[in-house]
Amino acid sequence: MSQTADWPLLPLALRLEGASCLVVGETVQAERKCELLVKAGADIRRMGAEEFVKTSSSGSLATALENVMLVVSATGDTATDEAVAAEAHAIGVFVNVAENRLLSSAIFPSIVDRSPLLIAVSSGGEAPVLTRLIRNRLEAFLPARLGHLAQLASSLRERVKAKLTNINQRRRYWESVLEGQVPDLVYSGAEDKARARMLEVLDAADDIDSGGEVYLVGAGPGDPDLLTFRALRLMRQADVVLYDRLVSPQILDLVRRDAERIDVGKARSQHTVPQEEINEMLARLALEGKRVLRLKGGDPFIFGRGGEEIDLLASKGVPFQVVPGITAASGCAAYSGIPLTHRDHSQSVRFITAHLKNNTSDLPWFELVRPRQTLVFYMGLAALPLIARELVAHGMAGDMPAAIVSKGTLPEQRVLTSTISELAALVAAEEIPGPTIIIVGTVVRLRDQLAWQTDALDAAS
Ligand SMILES: C[S@@+](CC[C@H](N)C(=O)[O-])C[C@H]1O[C@@H](n2cnc3c(N)ncnc32)[C@H](O)[C@@H]1O
């Protein structure tokens, strides 16, 4: 069954040592491809464009293609390249056609060579200049002796495996040496010292802590660029991740690829995994020796129940750390051009949860209706008519500016501005999807001059 692919080309590394590869053409590109295939140890067969045409018309092409794993065509002649590609496709062999991504089922990526470490960069031929620029950046950024580091690590691999039989312990050993002074020793040419240091750490490896830990990490409101460096680092090293519904797929993609993923997402009034169970799960997984990433939308300590989660960990003596994230109010305000405070408008801001129990209005409404104060309601979409009614009933002017930000900071962000009396009707008419936050206060007026997210699907009224 075929379907539209998210990745029309899957990056794979091929072991071509001793494998037959046919290169058709005598152009400069054909030479370049041959050089790469030689590096990979391929058994290269060459054929000129004319020879290909002759072989094809004499019916002996099947013999020439026998046992070939990869065909490269760089004849400089479109019709011949097309004929080569057609033959290769017909017998199900991967083919690369120089400068013709549509005819190619295999492409040669740009390579940053730090053997045995190879970094391949490719846009599948869609954006070659961008690919080149990224490759240049990587070249400049990655130390020239990075390959020596990889070789050194490889030379000790079996020894480490023999000494540390537990995979978590091994992973931690490698992280500790590769994030310590060893890389700098290698880069400065002191490989003997680097090796000695690695062995020293290995000798003391029984002391390497293989105990688990919980990372309670705020993932921000959605845009992955808003993650903190620390969040990203912990996301890269976690063994298992428990994530919420509000964590965007783009962010989840940044978690270590082989980490176990557990969706404990909560929709409003539909708690898929009860909070107590999440708390217990975190403790249990960490006590099993795992590094557990609890990834939450926004900031874990703002309407995130982060406090409850670490409460149990603290009582059981499970180590944990908390990484703040950008809360929805800050992210949505910034991306919609509505400053939450402003000398001329507002000197304080209140973050309020509008997730009202049993639809009751148990908020301190009088306190909320104050001059020069911005209100930000989280989880307020369903309660918006009630919020508006209560604020006006407690003295707020009906024409107080109000905005709703839906899916803030994501490409689908929408912002509607209106007044507190009219916002609910507008939201209902536009069928605004969650998650949303509602901002109330005269700061909303500033959006007209400060909105900078011109690409967002912006429905300001
Ligand atoms: C359970 S609270 C979690 C808040 C989170 N801890 C934070 O600091 O942003 C969920 C609410 O946050 C708000 N929210 C989270 N992400 C949002 C986004 N990208 N755009 C708008 N509102 C968002 C919505 O009000 C949603 O109902």
Side-chain angles (χ1 to χ4, degrees), residues 220-223 244-246 266 268 296-305 325-329 332 353 355 377-381 405-410 413 434-438:
D223 182 348
D244 277 349
R245 186 180 55 97
L246 282 177
K266 298 187 206 100
R268 196 163 47 84
K296 302 180 82 85
D299 181 276
F301 280 0
I302 296 184
F303 308 132
R305 306 192 72 170
I326 292 185
T327 190
C332 294
T353 170
H355 190 197
F377 290 93
Y378 285 67
M379 296 166 274
L381 188 57
V405 183
S406 155
K407 302 195 175 209
T409 80
L410 289 165
Q413 169 174 299
T436 61
I437 58 151
I438 297 153

Side-chain angles (χ1 to χ4, degrees), residues 159-275:
R159 204 156 155 178
V160 173
K161 226 173 177 175
K163 163 113 197 207
L164 306 175
T165 46
N166 174 309
I167 185 167
N168 285 338
Q169 233 183 357
R170 278 203 302 273
R171 198 176 282 142
R172 273 163 225 199
Y173 166 77
W174 286 116
E175 281 169 6
S176 78
V177 290
L178 295 175
E179 284 179 357
Q181 31 169 250
V182 166
D184 281 330
L185 288 170
V186 174
Y187 303 153
S188 63
E191 266 172 58
D192 289 347
K193 278 192 190 157
R195 190 183 170 81
R197 176 74 196 132
M198 285 167 97
L199 291 174
E200 213 176 279
V201 179
L202 187 59
D203 280 345
D206 293 335
D207 303 334
I208 290 184
D209 179 18
S210 61
E213 186 176 359
V214 174
Y215 313 137
L216 181 60
V217 172
D223 182 348
D225 277 358
L226 296 180
L227 284 170
T228 59
F229 287 125
R230 185 139 166 235
L232 194 59
R233 188 160 44 79
L234 297 177
M235 284 162 71
R236 294 282 195 215
Q237 69 183 38
D239 302 312
V240 49
V241 51
L242 282 76
Y243 61 96
D244 277 349
R245 186 180 55 97
L246 282 177
V247 175
S248 66
Q250 297 94 316
I251 287 182
L252 217 48
D253 267 354
L254 298 172
V255 173
R256 205 178 95 207
R257 207 157 272 286
D258 57 342
E260 184 190 347
R261 279 145 215 264
I262 305 175
D263 178 0
V264 292
K266 298 187 206 100
R268 196 163 47 84
S269 358
Q270 185 205 333
H271 289 215
T272 44
V273 180
Q275 186 65 51

Side-chain angles (χ1 to χ4, degrees), residues 303-320:
F303 308 132
R305 306 192 72 170
E308 288 160 66
E309 290 176 5
I310 54 176
D311 198 18
L312 185 80
L313 299 177
S315 73
K316 293 198 171 204
V318 176
F320 61 85

Side-chain angles (χ1 to χ4, degrees), residues 33-44:
K33 301 284 162 79
C34 282
E35 283 165 19
L36 292 170
L37 292 172
V38 165
K39 284 197 175 205
D43 173 11
I44 305 170

